[in-house]
Amino acid sequence: MAPGVFCVSLLTVIIAQSECCVPHSIQAQVPVEVRPGYVISQVPVTGCHIQGQWLTSSDPHFAMRSDGTIVTVDVTTVTAEGRSFWVRGRDGGGRRWRMEVHLSPDLEQEHIQVPMRVPFNVPAHKGVQRGPSEVLRRSKRRWSPLPFSIIEQDIPPFPKDVELVGSDSSVNFTVYYIISGSGVTMPPEKLFSVDRDTGMVRVHYPVDREQYPKFVFTAQVFDRRSGKETDRPLDITVLVEDINDNAPTFSGPLTFSVLEQCKPGTEVGEVKSTDKDEADTPHTKIRYTLLTGGQFFTIGSHSGLITAKTSTLDRETQVVNAVTVEIRDMDGAKNGLFNTATATITLLDINDNPPTFRETTYKATVKENQADMLVLRIPVDDKDEEKTPNWNARFVITQGNENGNFRIDTDPETNEGLLYVIKPLDYEKGKTVKLMISAQNEAPLVGMAGTWLSIPVDVSVGDEDEGPEFTPPNMVIRVKENTPNGTLLSTYTALDPETKSSKGIKYYTKFDPGSWIAVGETTGELRVANTIDLESPLVTNGAYTITIKAVDESKKSGNGNITLLIEDVNDNVPMIVPGTYLTLCEGEDGQMGSVTIEAEDADLSPYARPFNFMLPEGHDGKWRLRDIQSLLFVFYCTTKGEKIYMEDCSGGMLLKSNTEAPGDEVKSAALLIVPSTGVAVDTVDGSVKGAGLVGLLDQNGAGCPAPGPPLIGQKTIILNRESSRRDFLTAQGQSSFYSTGQYGGGNFYTDTTFLKQSQASSTLSALHTWKTNGLYLGKKLVYFADESEERYANDVARAYGYEGEGSPAGSVGCCSDFGDQDNLDFLDSLGSKFKTLANICMDKEEEI
């Protein structure tokens, strides 16, 4: 048995009479290229009242005959996507109907010339006639027909014919049809049925598309005799066509806010809605409209976005704006369903209103000498939102408060300005104070060209009888300590503020812890009454404070302060630090020991340090004093490597090492341990002179006296040199040390001369070594100062005068450590950067 074909046709609403059976749609397979005269199908209109009826096609490529036949007018192509058009008609009663025609291409088409007859997918009707030359082109049928449809919520009467299901097997067999599945044997049950004989599918009651958008059931065909299926089962899809039976509804919030005075076009909020009808159809195409509030706002017709229409929105005029929004489907057509709602738009505040004063001027009165009291309350009004930075007032005194007598605050509850006097006013200096006060907000002004407002405030000062006033209120007097008693230092008087006179005023000492000053009762003269001592514990940082009291005839009083700045004199002798018992021991190997002697002086510089340490007369000559802190520096510069030898003294040879730049060792604490003054050696009377705090007492033995520090009168000569090489030379010898270094990019050389060098004894060989070194250094200095052609142009000595009371740097270098001055073992503790220098020094010492 050759496979058969089901034929499907969809009926529409009957609009004329029950006998008129016009389906809602028909489907036909046609060739890809349809030629003129090709019969597509026939609309069954023979059972209708056709008097006055007219038929028309929406597609000009197809024409309608009076009997309902659809024919092709010209060559037409049907693509793989298919082609659809409408056929419209009107019966004699003026009732209108419409049928949809769906064409699909038959790619495996077999053209068969047959006599004109009703096609398989259209039920036969009486009265269908065709001319003898008319033929149908029969296509090869398939088991996948396009879905047909019913209209949701259709109106009675029921049942209604929906679609004819036919199989080609009915040509060879006597068949019957059955259907099963959704809408038949499954919920909603018994919605569809099929005529067993004809295959007509019928619908029995209305259905809601929003609940059941489509149905899929199975159609089967059987041989009446054998009961066997004559064709394969066919799945039938029935689409429920949407009708506009649901009005759109609002689906989002309708409360919005926007800043007042915003620019036109500022977004306010978006109104959202939904529609249960079929999407992407006119039934769900919603148009938004503002029914009220259109003078201030606009709404997007399809977006629902509300925007500001004007820049004149004023919160102070109306805080909340209610606008009525309509949503209507069918793109706003009059027959569209709609809903309305009220959207609430709140205007947010900006600071577009400055505080305003209730009066044009204010006056207040305050007595002189009063402080920390409220003078005036200044109320203001502000239209902006209360208790916000736009409303909170901030008051500023813009004029008249140059002396800082007033302060103005804001009352947080009333927003008033509170004017206080915080510094006493003086009636004698001014009877009236004119203030200018500005009222502002915490937030800056925006949205307008306005400015902050100001008002004048006149404060009258009330007069009071006051006590005398000293001029100046604080007097400073310089005086030397130990000034003789009775010496007149100054006169300190007061005036009556009202009379500007000192008549009748008496003076008394109110505070003078040492009773050093006597004040004249009627004159205010200040005279020395007791010894003024800078070293007294009553003196702080060289200053001594006295308070004088002035009393007028009305017993009013006033105070004045006097500060004595005391200048030091040399009225204290240096003293060996008391409480120290010194013990000197002799070592087992016969090496003599030493002890440290410390001294102090209560005076200030220059009447204290430096100290002269000396042994008393008549000592046995077995003792000597030397400084344990000081070392003298001479910085030596040369353009080539040299060795300099010194005579006789064990430490008299200059030891040389090379360094390319000042490294981290320059920052060592050992390089700056000597104070700004040191101790010098006097070789005649055995005294140690200098500004150091300590001296070293040891038994006399071989060796050179301890070197001394740079003192007043030294001269520093700085040599600028282009060479980056620097020679660092050290020497241990009597009162001398030689070195080279670099300062500010150039090498430098120093030569120090002692204050009492001329008193040196010629009997000491160490002194001879010093003189030899001095001569050598003098020649070298002349050499450096020479500007001959063979000298480098930049190797010119430049002298700089030294000013001060000793070298502030003190001793610098590895030799600054305390201990045996002739021992270089301490170089081992200075780190790897000094190892080379230490080794050279030790080797030279062993050679000597």
Side-chain angles (χ1 to χ4, degrees):
M1 179 180 69
V5 176
F6 279 116
C7 300
V8 181
S9 177
L10 181 65
L11 297 179
T12 187
V13 180
I14 299 176
I15 60 173
Q17 298 189 18
S18 60
E19 298 84 6
C20 186
C21 303
V22 180
H24 180 72
S25 67
I26 61 174
Q27 302 171 5
Q29 285 184 314
V30 297
V32 174
E33 183 179 281
V34 185
R35 297 183 179 181
Y38 185 89
V39 176
I40 301 299
S41 184
Q42 184 179 27
V43 180
V45 297
T46 55
C48 303
H49 297 281
I50 60 175
Q51 184 178 1
Q53 177 177 344
W54 57 269
L55 300 173
T56 183
S57 169
S58 64
D59 191 331
H61 297 284
F62 304 96
M64 297 294 299
R65 295 178 178 174
S66 60
D67 61 355
T69 303
I70 306 172
V71 297
T72 306
V73 176
D74 52 15
V75 177
T76 304
T77 301
V78 179
T79 63
E81 289 78 12
R83 186 164 184 165
S84 299
F85 59 93
W86 292 93
V87 173
R88 294 180 174 84
R90 184 176 60 188
D91 65 10
R95 299 183 179 88
R96 300 175 183 270
W97 54 264
R98 184 178 68 174
M99 184 185 73
E100 189 174 3
V101 180
H102 300 284
L103 303 181
S104 60
D106 189 353
L107 302 179
E108 299 179 2
Q109 165 180 289
E110 296 178 358
H111 297 291
I112 303 175
Q113 298 290 334
V114 296
M116 180 62 180
R117 64 178 181 177
V118 178
F120 293 115
N121 63 331
V122 179
H125 291 274
K126 297 180 180 181
V128 177
Q129 300 179 356
R130 294 172 177 81
S133 62
E134 292 179 321
V135 298
L136 285 176
R137 297 178 180 269
R138 180 181 175 187
S139 300
K140 188 175 182 179
R141 300 293 179 179
R142 299 188 175 196
W143 286 103
S144 300
L146 294 175
F148 57 90
S149 61
I150 62 174
I151 298 176
E152 72 164 326
Q153 304 294 1
D154 205 353
I155 61 176
F158 290 102
K160 292 185 178 184
D161 293 345
V162 177
E163 191 78 35
L164 183 65
V165 178
S167 172
D168 284 350
S169 64
S170 62
V171 177
N172 301 317
F173 300 94
T174 301
V175 298
Y176 66 92
Y177 301 91
I178 64 173
I179 58 175
S180 62
S182 173
V184 182
T185 59
M186 298 173 60
E189 297 180 6
K190 298 180 181 181
L191 176 64
F192 298 104
S193 66
V194 64
D195 188 306
R196 293 172 59 90
D197 297 329
T198 64
M200 175 62 70
V201 177
R202 295 184 175 92
V203 60
H204 292 267
Y205 53 84
V207 65
D208 186 5
R209 188 204 68 86
E210 284 70 45
Q211 185 177 6
Y212 300 105
K214 74 175 181 178
F215 299 93
V216 178
F217 53 83
T218 303
Q220 295 175 283
V221 58
F222 295 90
D223 183 7
R224 288 181 178 272
R225 295 181 180 180
S226 64
K228 296 182 179 180
E229 286 188 90
T230 61
D231 215 334
R232 292 175 297 177
L234 176 66
D235 287 337
I236 304 297
T237 300
V238 179
L239 301 178
V240 181
E241 289 190 2
D242 182 47
I243 64 173
N244 191 20
D245 59 342
N246 292 280
T249 58
F250 293 92
S251 60
L254 294 174
T255 302
F256 311 105
S257 60
V258 68
L259 289 175
E260 62 173 328
Q261 296 190 17
C262 62
K263 295 180 179 179
T266 301
E267 294 184 3
V268 176
E270 182 181 357
V271 177
K272 296 183 179 180
S273 63
T274 185
D275 195 314
K276 294 181 180 179
D277 290 322
E278 186 175 0
D280 301 323
T281 67
H283 301 162
T284 55
K285 189 171 185 180
I286 302 172
R287 178 177 289 272
Y288 298 85
T289 307
L290 288 183
L291 302 182
T292 62
Q295 69 274 30
F296 299 121
F297 305 97
T298 60
I299 189 169
S301 59
H302 293 100
S303 66
L305 181 64
I306 299 177
T307 57
K309 185 178 182 180
T310 176
S311 61
T312 60
L313 294 173
D314 188 6
R315 190 201 70 89
E316 289 70 42
T317 302
Q318 186 171 354
V319 178
V320 178
N321 292 264
V323 297
T324 303
V325 182
E326 178 191 87
I327 51 176
R328 184 183 292 264
D329 59 20
M330 300 298 291
D331 198 18
K334 291 183 178 181
N335 61 342
L337 303 179
F338 66 92
N339 264 317
T340 61
T342 300
T344 301
I345 303 174
T346 302
L347 299 183
L348 302 179
D349 186 40
I350 64 173
N351 193 18
D352 57 341
N353 294 280
T356 58
F357 295 98
R358 298 179 183 177
E359 303 292 338
T360 58
T361 184
Y362 287 92
K363 295 183 179 182
T365 302
V366 62
K367 291 183 179 181
E368 64 175 334
N369 302 323
Q370 290 183 339
D372 299 320
M373 65 172 295
L374 179 65
V375 176
L376 181 65
R377 280 182 171 267
I378 305 176
V380 292
D381 297 312
D382 198 312
K383 296 180 180 179
D384 291 315
E385 186 174 359
E386 293 187 8
K387 307 299 182 181
T388 67
N390 299 335
W391 179 84
N392 296 336
R394 185 176 68 90
F395 296 89
V396 179
I397 304 175
T398 58
Q399 295 179 17
N401 195 32
E402 289 76 12
N403 296 326
N405 296 96
F406 298 93
R407 182 188 81 240
I408 189 165
D409 300 330
T410 303
D411 189 319
E413 296 299 326
T414 65
N415 215 29
E416 293 176 307
L418 306 179
L419 182 63
Y420 292 89
V421 58
I422 58 174
K423 183 178 177 182
L425 295 168
D426 190 348
Y427 175 84
E428 286 69 32
K429 293 183 179 179
K431 299 179 181 180
T432 302
V433 179
K434 293 185 178 296
L435 303 177
M436 186 64 70
I437 296 180
S438 170
Q440 305 176 8
N441 291 126
E442 293 178 357
L445 279 175
V446 294
M448 60 175 295
T451 58
W452 303 121
L453 303 179
S454 298
I455 58 166
V457 176
D458 296 337
V459 180
S460 300
V461 182
D463 188 21
E464 284 191 344
D465 187 15
E466 302 172 281
E469 294 181 354
F470 284 94
T471 305
N474 297 285
M475 175 180 283
V476 178
I477 302 175
R478 292 184 176 273
V479 60
K480 289 187 177 182
E481 64 175 336
N482 302 325
T483 298
N485 292 350
T487 302
L488 177 63
L489 299 181
S490 183
T491 300
Y492 195 31
T493 59
L495 297 176
D496 187 307
E498 282 75 27
T499 64
K500 304 300 181 182
S501 171
S502 59
K503 182 179 180 181
I505 297 177
K506 295 184 179 182
Y507 304 94
Y508 305 93
T509 301
K510 185 175 182 179
F511 177 77
D512 183 1
S515 300
W516 290 355
I517 302 298
V519 59
E521 182 177 357
T522 59
T523 63
E525 291 182 347
L526 303 176
R527 296 182 181 271
V528 178
N530 285 298
T531 302
I532 299 175
D533 185 9
L534 176 63
E535 291 73 39
S536 170
L538 301 176
V539 177
T540 302
N541 296 326
Y544 179 78
T545 302
I546 303 169
T547 301
I548 303 299
K549 181 178 181 179
V551 182
D552 62 13
E553 294 177 345
S554 64
K555 305 304 180 183
K556 296 286 186 178
S557 64
N559 296 328
N561 296 318
I562 300 173
T563 300
L564 297 183
L565 297 182
I566 305 174
E567 299 179 3
D568 190 27
V569 297
N570 194 9
D571 58 345
N572 293 279
V573 298
M575 302 290 292
I576 300 297
V577 176
T580 303
Y581 184 78
L582 304 178
T583 302
L584 188 148
C585 300
E586 179 179 352
E588 294 179 358
D589 55 356
Q591 185 176 1
M592 301 305 173
S594 62
V595 294
T596 301
I597 302 173
E598 299 184 25
E600 61 183 11
D601 193 317
D603 291 322
L604 302 177
S605 178
Y607 304 118
R609 308 159 191 152
F611 302 132
N612 291 332
F613 294 84
M614 63 186 65
L615 295 173
E617 295 182 0
H619 63 86
D620 56 6
K622 296 181 180 180
W623 306 88
R624 74 168 181 175
L625 284 169
R626 65 186 178 91
D627 180 25
I628 66 172
Q629 296 188 62
S630 303
L631 283 171
L632 171 64
F633 281 78
V634 175
F635 293 88
Y636 169 78
C637 172
T638 181
T639 57
K640 63 180 180 178
E642 298 185 30
K643 286 186 178 181
I644 305 174
Y645 293 91
M646 307 175 73
E647 299 179 5
D648 297 334
C649 184
S650 62
M653 187 185 75
L654 294 176
L655 305 179
K656 173 186 172 185
S657 65
N658 296 329
T659 179
E660 292 299 325
D664 294 339
E665 66 275 7
V666 176
K667 301 176 182 178
S668 172
L671 302 179
L672 294 170
I673 64 173
V674 179
S676 59
T677 55
V679 177
V681 177
D682 191 325
T683 58
V684 176
D685 53 14
S687 64
V688 180
K689 298 180 179 179
L693 298 176
V694 297
L696 183 65
L697 174 65
D698 60 6
Q699 288 183 324
N700 202 0
C704 299
L711 296 179
I712 299 175
Q714 72 177 11
K715 178 180 292 184
T716 302
I717 299 176
I718 299 178
L719 300 179
N720 296 322
R721 193 180 74 170
E722 294 177 347
S723 173
S724 64
R725 178 171 177 256
R726 289 169 294 126
D727 301 321
F728 184 81
L729 302 115
T730 63
Q732 293 176 320
Q734 176 187 343
S735 307
S736 60
F737 171 82
Y738 302 92
S739 174
T740 62
Q742 189 173 34
Y743 178 80
N747 293 344
F748 54 91
Y749 163 90
T750 59
D751 174 23
T752 300
T753 306
F754 293 112
L755 294 176
K756 294 187 177 181
Q757 180 178 347
S758 61
Q759 302 175 4
S761 173
S762 60
T763 60
L764 297 176
S765 61
L767 180 59
H768 176 68
T769 302
W770 164 252
K771 290 184 177 180
T772 302
N773 291 344
L775 292 175
Y776 178 82
L777 291 173
K779 293 179 181 179
K780 199 67 177 177
L781 182 61
V782 174
Y783 171 74
F784 285 148
D786 187 9
E787 298 188 13
S788 59
E789 293 181 357
E790 55 271 13
R791 291 282 294 135
Y792 287 101
N794 289 331
D795 283 348
V796 178
R798 295 183 174 89
Y800 292 81
Y802 176 80
E803 297 180 1
E805 299 176 353
S807 172
S811 298
V812 182
C814 62
C815 300
S816 297
D817 290 348
F818 296 114
D820 189 351
Q821 302 295 320
D822 297 329
N823 188 357
L824 299 179
D825 291 341
F826 58 83
L827 291 172
D828 294 332
S829 64
L830 297 180
S832 59
K833 296 184 178 180
F834 281 92
K835 289 293 184 181
T836 303
L837 176 61
N839 292 334
I840 294 176
C841 292
M842 293 302 293
D843 292 342
K844 295 302 181 181
E845 184 178 31
E846 291 174 1
E847 292 177 6
I848 296 176

